[in-house]
Amino acid sequence: MSIAMTTTPAKPLHKSLQLDIDAELVRHFYRQAIVAILGGSLPGGFLLTYVLWDIADRTQLLWWLSAHTVACLLRLALIGWYFRCAPPPQSAGRWSAALASLSITSACLWASTCILFFDPTEPLSVITITVIIFALSAGSSAI
């Protein structure tokens, strides 16, 4: 007799329990985002700008840093709004989509550093961008 024949399929969770689980996952997502922004993304942006100041175009660096800082501040504002509102479990999907959208924006800004500032003839550029993006990726996978 095979295992498939002896086991019964799991019953779907009650709707309110599933909503509570989803809401808790979103709360966790918001709590962890604070650490990712303040401990990784925002300092990484300033570090990148500082290290590449004499190598890359300063105007581009300042525009990128400005856009990146605004994206981080918008994410932090959304996080603050989320915790002040204490939304009901039914709205978890909307809150999750909002933070995910801003996180994707931040990821696109970080990806743009490879196009804007990566110079294969400058070892400092290669090392800095590679290490910062690696560190952000490693940190986000641990969260």
Side-chain angles (χ1 to χ4, degrees):
M1 184 174 256
S2 73
I3 294 175
M5 294 176 63
T6 60
T7 59
T8 58
K11 293 182 183 178
L13 293 174
H14 191 268
K15 180 102 172 143
S16 68
L17 178 59
Q18 186 62 51
L19 285 173
D20 289 340
I21 291 170
D22 292 344
E24 186 54 39
L25 288 171
V26 171
R27 269 191 293 280
H28 181 71
F29 185 33
Y30 272 80
R31 280 191 305 268
Q32 294 300 315
I34 296 168
V35 175
I37 297 165
L38 295 177
S41 191
L42 202 53
F46 283 100
L47 178 64
L48 178 84
T49 303
Y50 175 76
V51 172
L52 298 182
W53 190 253
D54 293 327
I55 298 171
D57 179 11
R58 290 180 181 174
T59 304
Q60 280 186 334
L61 272 171
L62 290 174
W63 276 108
W64 179 86
L65 182 62
S66 299
H68 174 65
T69 302
V70 166
C72 287
L73 292 175
L74 286 172
R75 289 167 69 195
L76 289 170
L78 179 66
I79 292 166
W81 187 26
Y82 173 83
F83 286 114
R84 274 193 302 281
C85 289
Q90 295 81 3
S91 65
R94 283 178 285 172
W95 285 99
S96 177
L99 188 57
S101 297
L102 287 174
S103 296
I104 289 169
T105 301
S106 182
C108 289
L109 284 167
W110 275 109
S112 73
T113 62
C114 296
I115 297 166
L116 296 171
F117 310 123
F118 191 86
D119 183 0
T121 62
E122 289 287 344
L124 192 56
S125 164
V126 174
I127 292 167
T128 302
I129 292 172
T130 303
V131 168
I132 290 176
I133 290 179
F134 174 78
L136 290 171
S137 299
S140 67
S141 66
I143 291 175

